[in-house]
Each structure stands twice: as structure tokens, then as C-alpha cells.
């Protein structure tokens, strides 16, 4: 079968994808933008992608496509309804990045919470060396122990974050966007309660019509002025403009964002100017072991499909 890998570099060039390319006649592109999709997939039977749009517009002239494999858990770049109408299977990768994203969640939180950028600059600038005190108390921070950690999205990553937060001594609460969560290990609350009571609020939900701009001006006004927001879900779950205004007005204390509304973001993004905002380039899932695991699972998905064995595909849901 012909395999077209549209965004090979999205898993990093330090990771081999031979496990995928050895399964068929493979054509590999380092990266693909939207305008290049149609030409590159016209005779593909299996497509491996990550962010490029795969919908009726890009797929209608590719009659041989049988399977789309995502280099990711999220599949908002794929029109599932159209693929279902065509009988095209769509397989994502679930659970591969749990440890890495949970780890990054706390890296973001602690960096913002403890004002580490400011204190790092304080030491490296020579200001610390020039003072007579052994420490500095200009920017206090609170302990996580005894505080409330709120979560949106109690899937694999959300549960891992909840376990770590509990180990720090936090009370964990969560909100189910769909209302269908089966989690009973932690306290489930409504959205307003989540906003009002969370000292740290972390986002781990997929992007959908229910979650787009879930964190907006109205939501941010309901949060504690001392609260820290962490987004490792999808950028558009948070309205960047509203977040900037909330930070300027002191409605929340800070934010750690691994994802943003536009990726890569505009150079003029005002969040760049804020010391109490940490921005990282959608890297929470990119631990070395994580990416190796991703490629291995994706290769197995293709192999199982070729052998006629059932695979867990989102287009069947």
C-alpha cells in the first residue's frame, strides 16, 4: 500500500520513522502546508499527518485513501464525518504522551508560581551578589500543599496530573465539559465552582465546539486573583486576547501556555511582554521516549490495519 507521510518532521528528525516507511511504498515529506495537500495525497492509500487539514476539499480527489493516521492524540484537523461517509478510517494515538505532558504541566505551573524567570534574572544580573541579604523576598509565592488544583479534561493526562497534584498535597476538583466523565476518584464540580475555587487550573481537554474559548473574559473574571492558569490542551480553548486583558487587570496571577490560538503565534502577541506568562512551543508531548512511543504505536496501527485486524479508530465512534 502507498503510504504518504505529510509531516515527518513533526515528530523530530532525531526519531527514526523506519518502522512506518518499511510497511509499504512510502513517500515522505518533511513538512506540508494546506495548499500542498491535494497534490501530495492524490494516489495515497494511507496518510500520516498531524496538523494539515484533511477534509472534503483536500480528500475529494484522493479516491484510494483507506486510512488516515495522526501523529497525535488530537484529530481536529480531520473532518471525521466526511471520512466516515467515505469509509476512511481515522486512527489517532491515545495515551502515548501522558507522562510527558503531565510533567510539562508542572514545569509550567511551578515556573510561573514561583516567579522563576524574575528570580533567575535577579541572580544572573548581579543584583543578588550586590546585596547583603542571603535571600530575597520581593515576590512571594504560595505552596501547592493545601491548595485546590482544578482540571478540565479528566482523561489519561488529566488523571495523571490529578495524581501528581494530590501528591503535592492539593485538593483536586474537575469539570466535565460533556458531562459524561466516568471518573469517581476526584470531586466533580460545575464550571463556576471550578473557576471560583481553583488555585491552579490546568486544561487537558480536546478542542471542540464545547471547549473553544471555554476560558474567556467571563470565565477569567470568576477566577481567583491569585490563580495560575496552565494550558497544555489546545490553544483555542483559551481566548488569548481575553487572557491578556485579565492578566493586565490582575484578574489572575499568571499563566503557563504550551499552546496558543495560532501556532506559531504572531510576533506581535502581547503575551510576549509579560513576565508572569511562560510560553513554550507546543512541546509538552515531545519527550524523547514519548515520540519514540508515538511512532511505534502508529506503525503498529498501520500494520494491524493491513493485516485486517480491528484497530481503535475515531471514525468508527
Amino acid at each position: 500500500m502507498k503510504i504518504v507521510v505529510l509531516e515527518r518532521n513533526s515528530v523530530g528528525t532525531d526519531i527514526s520513522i523506519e518502522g512506518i516507511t518499511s510497511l509499504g511504498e512510502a513517500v515522505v515529506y518533511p513538512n506540508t502546508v494546506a495548499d500542498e495537500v491535494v497534490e501530495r495525497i492524490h494516489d495515497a492509500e494511507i496518510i500520516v499527518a498531524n496538523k494539515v487539514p484533511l477534509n472534503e476539499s483536500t480528500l475529494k480527489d484522493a479516491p484510494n485513501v483507506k486510512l488516515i493516521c495522526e501523529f497525535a492524540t488530537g484529530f481536529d484537523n480531520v473532518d471525521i464525518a466526511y471520512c466516515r461517509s467515505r469509509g476512511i478510517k481515522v486512527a489517532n494515538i491515545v495515551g502515548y504522551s501522558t507522562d510527558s505532558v503531565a510533567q510539562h504541566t508542572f514545569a509550567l505551573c511551578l515556573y510561573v508560581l514561583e516567579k522563576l524567570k524574575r528570580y533567575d534574572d535577579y541572580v544572573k544580573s548581579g543584583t543578588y551578589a550586590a546585596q547583603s541579604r542571603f535571600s530575597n523576598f520581593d515576590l512571594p509565592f504560595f505552596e501547592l500543599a493545601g491548595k485546590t488544583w482544578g482540571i478540565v479534561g479528566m482523561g489519561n493526562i488529566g488523571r495523571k496530573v490529578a495524581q501528581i497534584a494530590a501528591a503535592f498535597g492539593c485538593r483536586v476538583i474537575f469539570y466535565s465539559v460533556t458531562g459524561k466523565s466516568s471518573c469517581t476518584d476526584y470531586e466533580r464540580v460545575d464550571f463556576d465552582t471550578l473557576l471560583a475555587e481553583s488555585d491552579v487550573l490546568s486544561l487537558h481537554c480536546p478542542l471542540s465546539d464545547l471547549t473553544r474559548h471555554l476560558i474567556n473574559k467571563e470565565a477569567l473574571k470568576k477566577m481567583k486573583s491569585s490563580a495560575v492558569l496552565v494550558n497544555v490542551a489546545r490553544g483555542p480553548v483559551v481566548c488569548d486576547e481575553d487572557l491578556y486583558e485579565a492578566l493586565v487587570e490582575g484578574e489572575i496571577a499568571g499563566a503557563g501556555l504550551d499552546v496558543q490560538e495560532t501556532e506559531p503565534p504572531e510576533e506581535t502577541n502581547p503575551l510576549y511582554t509579560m513576565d508572569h506568562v511562560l510560553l513554550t512551543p507546543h512541546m509538552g508531548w515531545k519527550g524523547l521516549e514519548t515520540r519514540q512511543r508515538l511512532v511505534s504505536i502508529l506503525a503498529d496501527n498501520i500494520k494491524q490495519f493491513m493485516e485486517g485486524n480491528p484497530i481503535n479508530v475515531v471514525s468508527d465512534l
Side-chain angles (χ1 to χ4, degrees):
M1 301 184 78
K2 182 165 185 178
I3 303 168
V4 176
V5 181
L6 292 175
E7 297 166 276
R8 185 262 177 273
N9 288 2
S10 68
V11 293
T13 56
D14 56 330
I15 301 295
S16 171
I17 65 165
E18 186 178 352
I20 296 170
T21 58
S22 63
L23 293 172
E25 177 193 350
V27 177
V28 179
Y29 298 98
N31 189 45
T32 298
V33 297
D35 291 345
E36 298 170 329
V37 174
V38 172
E39 179 183 353
R40 292 182 175 185
I41 67 169
H42 69 94
D43 60 349
E45 294 173 271
I46 296 173
I47 299 171
V48 177
N50 193 323
K51 299 298 179 190
V52 290
L54 294 170
N55 48 36
E56 182 174 6
S57 176
T58 54
L59 289 167
K60 62 183 176 64
D61 295 323
N64 301 326
V65 177
K66 299 176 178 63
L67 175 68
I68 294 171
C69 286
E70 291 276 52
F71 263 144
T73 299
F75 48 89
D76 43 284
N77 62 311
V78 180
D79 185 335
I80 298 299
Y82 176 73
C83 288
R84 189 181 294 122
S85 73
R86 283 267 308 269
I88 299 171
K89 303 294 185 182
V90 181
N92 65 337
I93 314 295
V94 178
Y96 78 96
S97 64
T98 299
D99 291 336
S100 184
V101 176
Q103 175 177 302
H104 196 60
T105 299
F106 284 87
L108 292 169
C109 171
L110 294 172
Y111 186 94
V112 174
L113 175 64
E114 298 193 2
K115 285 81 170 178
L116 295 182
K117 173 176 172 48
R118 294 283 295 275
Y119 280 122
D120 183 55
D121 290 345
Y122 179 81
V123 174
K124 291 176 179 176
S125 68
T127 306
Y128 180 39
Q131 71 172 39
S132 59
R133 294 175 297 168
F134 77 94
S135 188
N136 180 276
F137 307 97
D138 292 346
L139 297 170
F141 59 87
F142 61 76
E143 296 178 349
L144 286 177
K147 301 303 188 293
T148 297
W149 188 295
I151 292 174
V152 179
M154 195 56 89
N156 292 331
I157 295 171
R159 288 177 190 239
K160 185 72 174 184
V161 168
Q163 292 170 7
I164 299 170
F168 268 103
C170 294
R171 167 198 176 214
V172 176
I173 60 176
F174 76 98
Y175 167 67
S176 173
V177 177
T178 64
K180 298 177 181 179
S181 175
S182 60
C183 179
T184 58
D185 295 328
Y186 304 97
E187 181 183 356
R188 180 170 157 182
V189 298
D190 60 43
F191 190 47
D192 283 351
T193 300
L194 181 89
L195 296 170
E197 297 188 5
S198 295
D199 295 292
V200 178
L201 176 59
S202 61
L203 310 176
H204 311 283
C205 52
L207 179 63
S208 70
D209 291 339
L210 293 175
T211 61
R212 188 177 298 275
H213 285 186
L214 180 71
I215 305 301
N216 55 24
K217 182 177 298 186
E218 291 72 26
L220 289 159
K221 286 182 181 297
K222 296 175 182 178
M223 294 178 66
K224 295 181 179 182
S225 60
S226 58
V228 172
L229 174 70
V230 178
N231 187 10
V232 291
R234 286 291 184 267
V237 175
V238 176
C239 177
D240 280 356
E241 181 179 351
D242 291 352
L243 174 60
Y244 174 74
E245 291 180 6
L247 288 161
V248 169
E249 296 298 324
E251 292 172 355
I252 66 170
L257 309 174
D258 187 43
V259 289
Q260 294 177 60
E261 284 199 81
T262 302
E263 294 178 350
E266 298 292 332
E267 292 182 5
T268 56
N269 190 323
L271 293 173
Y272 287 177
T273 66
M274 304 186 120
D275 284 345
H276 51 327
V277 176
L278 173 61
L279 304 172
T280 56
H282 204 145
M283 58 177 277
W285 65 281
K286 291 187 177 179
L288 179 62
E289 300 90 344
T290 312
R291 291 179 288 128
Q292 291 171 334
R293 191 179 304 119
L294 167 65
V295 171
S296 177
I297 296 172
L298 192 147
D300 189 59
N301 279 350
I302 294 176
K303 183 179 179 181
Q304 294 296 324
F305 178 80
M306 288 179 167
E307 293 176 353
N309 298 322
I311 58 174
N312 183 25
V313 290
V314 295
S315 51
D316 285 344
L317 299 179

